[in-house]
Amino acid sequence: LWGDGNELRDFFYVENFVEVIEYFLKNPKNLVLNICSGKSISFKVLAQKISSDLGKIEILNLKKGSD
């Protein structure tokens, strides 16, 4: 992770995004959508969840601006 990983973002499943796109392709509307889950979590928490699901992947914190 770059930095401490505490930056918050709104993540959602790609499958859910595809369902929304399919719906509006079949039912066209004249509108603008901002598709999101409404729940923000940090990169750190997301990485920990992925690590736990996949079996203890090491999570490294790198200083921002480092290679």
Side-chain angles (χ1 to χ4, degrees):
L1 299 174
W2 294 107
D4 61 11
N6 288 320
E7 298 88 359
L8 296 175
R9 296 291 185 273
D10 185 336
F11 296 96
F12 58 90
Y13 292 103
V14 172
E15 290 87 358
N16 293 350
F17 178 74
V18 170
E19 287 178 16
V20 171
I21 298 303
E22 286 177 341
Y23 174 82
F24 284 106
L25 286 173
K26 293 175 184 174
N27 304 286
K29 308 279 185 218
N30 186 17
L31 50 86
V32 176
L33 296 174
N34 184 4
I35 301 171
C36 62
S37 70
K39 298 177 185 175
S40 297
I41 64 169
S42 69
F43 288 107
K44 183 177 186 176
V45 169
L46 180 60
Q48 289 167 339
K49 287 181 181 208
I50 292 169
S51 174
S52 140
D53 288 348
L54 296 179
K56 293 295 179 187
I57 296 171
E58 183 180 7
I59 301 169
L60 302 175
N61 291 86
L62 303 173
K63 292 182 182 178
K64 289 184 180 183
S66 66
D67 295 331

